[in-house]
Amino acid sequence: MEKMIKKRIDQVKEKGHQRLTVLLIPHGFDKSFHFQISIFTIFFLVGLLFAIVGIAVLGIVKYNNTRIQINALASVYGKYFDEYIEYSEKLGDIRDDFATLNENLQEVHSLIDGESDELLKLPDESDSEDLAATELKVEEAGDKDLMIGRSYLSEIYGYRAVRVSMERNRSLVDSVFTFLDTRYGIMNSLPFGEPLFSYNLTSYYGMRRSPTFGYMEFHDGVDLANVPGTPIYATGDGKVYRAIYSPRGYGNHIVLAHANGYYSLYGHCTKLLVRDGEYVHKGQLIATVGATGNVTGPHVHYEVWIGESNRTDPMEYMKVGLGQY
């Protein structure tokens, strides 16, 4: 058996080494050219030719596929493609800004006596990048167009990592927001601010000479003068405790009940624009300036109470500095 195989191999070698003579006779020349070439050499040259042609075809196919992917990418990102490339260069600045933001949030959280130290722990950057890559792989599996984009725009991973970090710090943001929102609600529910946008302060809180009777009396509030019809605004969230039309004393007046036992009174109005039991918000129009009751000119008599009997100086609440509505 081995002898037969060896004999067959020898026969192939013998045929492969056989030479062929190639004769070339150029047209119009007397001399001819000829050369000899083995069969093995012919097979080698033919194989080399096929390899070169195959490589060329493969290169053309890959080039066409690349062009198709680039066109598909442009189609996916559309007119925003150039803008994306521009903004991707700013990715480093975005990361720095986010890091600064987190530091500021942590400082605010510590200043407001945040309860959970876990909220102050920044997520590790590598963890965020791994999670972002996982999210993108899931999206790619569901949308092949996205895969094209991911292949050419690696910055997408960077943006997604920043977004993931933001998401993982949402609890810190929520904690700070809840604190500030609660405090803001408390401040809004107290009578802080001024009932008129503009006024002349004609009488302070405390002892004074009565402008109508001439004797000394204790003035329970402040008088803020302006022309009749000037809008009067609620200085805090609350419920209308009284809305009374009267020709005596405070005249037409409103009393609002605020949180924590505070009340505010608006007297000598022309019109009352709210009713008993109605809930009003800070800055809401509730009445207009008038000259009803015991007055010498148009103004709003404004008082702030703690409880129903303890009058306080309204100026201490009007100048808190929360800004106008």
Side-chain angles (χ1 to χ4, degrees):
M1 185 68 180
E2 291 181 1
K3 290 182 179 181
M4 290 181 63
I5 295 175
K6 186 176 182 302
K7 183 180 180 181
R8 181 64 65 182
I9 293 174
D10 291 338
Q11 290 176 350
V12 171
K13 286 181 178 180
E14 183 179 350
K15 284 189 174 291
H17 286 295
Q18 288 181 356
R19 292 179 175 274
L20 299 178
T21 299
V22 179
L23 180 63
L24 298 176
I25 304 175
H27 181 71
F29 288 87
D30 295 335
K31 294 183 66 175
S32 62
F33 304 93
H34 68 275
F35 60 90
Q36 293 183 341
I37 185 172
S38 68
I39 294 177
F40 277 156
T41 303
I42 293 174
F43 277 113
F44 171 76
L45 293 176
V46 171
L48 181 61
L49 176 62
F50 276 107
I52 293 173
V53 172
I55 292 173
V57 171
L58 181 61
I60 293 172
V61 170
K62 283 192 173 184
Y63 172 79
N64 289 335
N65 288 339
T66 300
R67 293 303 307 173
I68 291 172
Q69 288 181 327
I70 291 175
N71 292 335
L73 176 62
S75 175
V76 170
Y77 290 93
K79 63 180 181 180
Y80 301 107
F81 180 77
D82 292 337
E83 287 83 350
Y84 174 82
I85 296 299
E86 177 184 350
Y87 290 128
S88 68
E89 297 174 356
K90 301 178 181 179
L91 181 58
D93 294 336
I94 293 175
R95 285 197 177 105
D96 293 340
D97 292 341
F98 176 64
T100 302
L101 173 63
N102 270 294
E103 292 175 2
N104 293 338
L105 282 173
Q106 291 183 81
E107 183 176 357
V108 171
H109 187 267
S110 62
L111 290 175
I112 64 177
D113 297 326
E115 297 179 358
S116 176
D117 292 337
E118 290 295 320
L119 295 177
L120 298 180
K121 294 180 179 178
L122 286 172
D124 186 79
E125 184 174 351
S126 61
D127 290 343
S128 298
E129 291 176 353
D130 291 342
L131 184 56
T134 301
E135 288 185 1
L136 290 171
K137 291 298 182 183
V138 172
E139 291 180 11
E140 289 172 1
D143 190 337
K144 298 305 181 183
D145 286 337
L146 290 177
M147 186 179 295
I148 298 173
R150 303 296 184 257
S151 300
Y152 285 89
L153 300 176
S154 60
E155 293 86 354
I156 290 178
Y157 286 95
Y159 277 109
R160 179 58 64 90
V162 173
R163 189 194 66 75
V164 169
S165 295
M166 290 180 178
E167 284 292 331
R168 298 180 71 178
N169 277 280
R170 181 182 293 274
S171 55
L172 176 60
V173 177
D174 290 343
S175 174
V176 173
F177 174 81
T178 299
F179 174 87
L180 296 178
D181 186 60
T182 300
R183 271 45 177 190
Y184 181 78
I186 293 173
M187 298 296 282
N188 265 356
S189 66
L190 299 177
F192 291 153
E194 301 176 333
L196 302 181
F197 281 146
S198 62
Y199 56 84
N200 290 322
L201 181 59
T202 57
S203 186
Y204 287 89
Y205 173 85
M207 293 300 298
R208 70 166 188 178
R209 186 175 297 280
S210 172
T212 53
F213 300 108
Y215 55 78
M216 296 300 294
E217 66 175 0
F218 190 86
H219 191 228
D220 292 331
V222 292
D223 291 341
L224 311 175
N226 208 320
V227 297
T230 300
I232 300 173
Y233 302 97
T235 54
D237 296 344
K239 189 176 182 180
V240 179
Y241 184 68
R242 287 200 301 266
I244 296 177
Y245 284 91
S246 172
R248 298 183 299 276
Y250 291 128
N252 304 334
H253 66 280
I254 295 171
V255 177
L256 299 181
H258 305 281
N260 302 309
Y262 282 88
Y263 294 82
S264 58
L265 179 144
Y266 313 78
H268 309 306
C269 307
T270 299
K271 294 181 179 180
L272 306 183
L273 304 177
V274 291
R275 296 176 295 179
D276 286 356
E278 185 177 343
Y279 188 83
V280 299
H281 297 281
K282 181 182 180 70
Q284 181 177 333
L285 177 63
I286 59 174
T288 57
V289 170
T292 60
N294 184 21
V295 295
T296 57
H299 69 278
V300 58
H301 174 81
Y302 179 63
E303 297 182 7
V304 174
W305 314 341
I306 300 178
E308 295 187 49
S309 58
N310 185 16
R311 270 60 171 172
T312 62
D313 186 352
M315 293 300 294
E316 297 178 359
Y317 301 89
M318 293 169 59
K319 301 302 182 182
V320 169
L322 293 179
Q324 199 57 275
Y325 324 117

